[in-house]
Amino acid sequence: MSSPRTSDVLVIGGGIIGLVTAWRAAQRGLATAVVDPDPGGGAARVAAGMLAAVTELHYGEQTLLGLNLASARRYPDFAAELTELTGQDLGYRRCGTLAVALDADDRAHLRELHALQRQSGLESEWLSGRECRRLEPMLAPGVRGGLRVDGDHQVDPRRLARALVSACQRAGVVFRRAWAEGLTVVGERAAGVVTRDGTTLAAGQVVLAGGSLSGRLAGLPQDVVPPVRPVKGQVLRLTVPRRYAPFLSRTVRAVVRGSQVYLVPRENGELVVGATSEELGWDTTVTAGGVYELLRDAHELIPGITELPLTETCAGLRPASPDNAPLLGPTRLAGLSLATGHYRNGVLLAPVTGDALAQVLATGELPDEARPFTPRRFGVAALSEQPA
Ligand code: GLY
């Protein structure tokens, strides 16, 4: 017998944000379904998985910092719960991060970041170039100084996505392997979706968690279309042969000629090098230029990477919002909530997003920490600034 096409909650999008929302909703006793042709895919298949609340702090983003830190604090329990439930290791590694400067301009930039971190009450330590190299001997000899941030960790997003699919299945979440084509609205209330193959899925509440595609769902009233846009990131994966280990013991990052580059070493020998940041619409081509720039910048930081096998290149789309912060919770349309727009922080924000959305779905209210991220903060003016 096929499972019924009606649920309490229907989540559109089976990336990590949709999956964590569905899992937490099902744990609250809500009959939950996820509609996605390929659950566990999306931007997390590309992401490096840095949990970088402190090293990715920017001026003007102190409110987002609060949410990022709240989610980072949840990671140890979140990872342990998922591993215990599914038997799967998430590659959660409490390795810390070292952000380094290669020239005088980078050094000034890092000094500014250090001052902002201290003003914000965050822990980071300024190191000389020599101290940086003592920590990470593979660093280039010319490194001029750096910031040691022992609280910025990593998780493997591909493993996280697989574990979330498994946790959802164990919690009774139903997967509808199809594209959600259009929202159905009945009596001024979201009532479900119609899939590309023409199937109608009905639900008491709908969560739109479609990443950068969230604004493309047909049938959304104009004033609830989420103002998200795609920001392309190209990423490389290298492999550290056993004889070279330990190559790096923590995430190492820098800004080189104005572009972010980071190297995230996994325990299994994978070394993720990311990422470009390109406003090119829906293009996900891996380009020679993107790969060249990443390798050039990573090589300036860690010259020894040229010895390593290059095992994968890929590109994905970050779902960016006008203020770089996510859109969480109820919209102006009854029955429709959003969990999208996580931009550079989707992996980090997964635990807090799951908890916040589950509370919304169970009680109708966002928890206090998530209230600043209500989609209602964007008016119609913000929506009209989005590209067509
Ligand atoms: N958070 C890293 C990135 O978006 O590239």
Side-chain angles (χ1 to χ4, degrees):
M1 198 182 80
S2 65
S3 38
R5 291 192 176 141
T6 300
S7 49
D8 296 328
V9 174
L10 179 65
V11 180
I12 303 171
I16 55 169
I17 294 299
L19 291 170
V20 75
T21 298
W23 176 43
R24 291 303 196 197
Q27 284 182 319
R28 296 235 184 175
L30 297 163
T32 302
V34 172
V35 55
D36 191 303
D38 180 23
R45 221 168 249 172
V46 177
M50 288 181 300
L51 307 174
V54 179
T55 39
E56 288 212 0
L57 177 63
H58 293 104
Y59 279 106
E61 293 185 4
Q62 274 86 347
T63 311
L64 176 59
L65 171 67
L67 194 71
N68 286 343
L69 290 173
S71 209
R73 278 193 294 273
R74 281 171 215 207
Y75 245 96
D77 288 346
F78 175 76
E81 184 183 353
L82 268 175
T83 297
E84 195 177 318
L85 266 175
T86 65
Q88 297 178 28
D89 174 14
L90 308 187
Y92 175 54
R93 193 173 170 202
R94 300 177 70 145
C95 58
T97 297
L98 183 64
V100 301
L102 290 169
D103 61 26
D105 284 350
D106 298 348
R107 200 165 179 277
H109 169 83
L110 265 194
R111 285 281 192 197
E112 286 289 312
L113 176 61
H114 191 213
L116 179 61
Q117 289 166 339
R118 284 161 57 139
Q119 276 162 30
S120 308
L122 302 171
E123 280 182 30
S124 71
E125 183 190 358
W126 183 264
L127 301 183
S128 67
R130 183 174 295 181
E131 287 168 327
C132 290
R133 282 192 303 281
R134 205 172 293 141
L135 273 187
E136 295 297 340
M138 298 305 287
L139 276 170
V143 164
R144 305 281 294 266
L147 281 176
R148 175 178 175 164
V149 177
D150 287 344
D152 275 1
H153 303 308
Q154 62 157 301
V155 70
D156 183 334
R158 293 176 177 177
R159 292 181 184 212
L160 171 62
R162 276 198 295 274
L164 283 169
V165 168
S166 171
C168 281
Q169 283 163 337
R170 283 160 204 262
V173 172
V174 174
F175 286 103
R176 305 286 183 192
R177 290 174 189 271
W179 278 104
E181 189 83 10
L183 185 75
T184 47
V185 178
V186 177
E188 301 195 7
R189 187 180 170 90
V193 298
V194 178
T195 64
R196 192 165 287 176
D197 62 9
T199 305
T200 297
L201 304 173
Q205 300 187 75
V206 177
V207 179
L208 178 50
S212 56
L213 291 165
S214 298
R216 294 193 126 192
L217 184 71
L220 289 167
Q222 184 59 29
D223 61 348
V224 301
V225 175
V228 289
R229 66 180 198 285
V231 176
K232 176 179 172 182
Q234 300 189 50
V235 171
L236 316 177
R237 281 174 165 80
L238 289 72
T239 302
V240 179
R242 256 183 224 289
R243 64 182 183 283
Y244 292 164
F247 190 78
L248 293 177
S249 64
R250 72 203 69 223
T251 296
V252 172
R253 57 185 302 155
V255 177
V256 182
R257 283 178 286 271
S259 302
Q260 299 270 355
V261 64
Y262 45 79
L263 295 94
V264 182
R266 306 247 193 266
E267 249 154 16
N268 65 5
E270 184 177 82
L271 180 66
V272 185
V273 179
T276 64
S277 192
E278 302 164 78
E279 303 262 2
L280 286 175
W282 304 101
D283 174 59
T284 52
T285 313
V286 176
T287 62
V291 174
Y292 165 72
E293 281 169 27
L294 286 173
L295 286 175
R296 181 195 61 195
D297 295 350
H299 172 254
E300 280 192 29
L301 210 54
I302 310 284
I305 61 155
T306 50
E307 304 293 320
L308 305 180
L310 172 62
T311 32
E312 188 184 333
T313 60
C314 54
L317 299 172
R318 305 175 183 89
S321 74
D323 60 7
N324 298 339
L327 291 86
L328 304 175
T331 64
R332 295 184 183 93
L333 178 66
L336 179 70
S337 289
L338 298 184
T340 189
H342 291 69
Y343 190 34
R344 300 181 72 93
N345 295 308
V347 180
L348 171 61
L349 288 173
V352 82
T353 299
D355 292 347
L357 266 290
Q359 180 159 328
V360 166
L361 294 164
T363 69
E365 294 290 329
L366 269 173
D368 287 347
E369 67 199 348
R371 287 213 176 131
F373 306 97
T374 169
R376 293 173 180 148
R377 72 187 185 277
F378 296 115
V380 175
L383 303 178
S384 63
E385 284 162 17
Q386 291 302 300

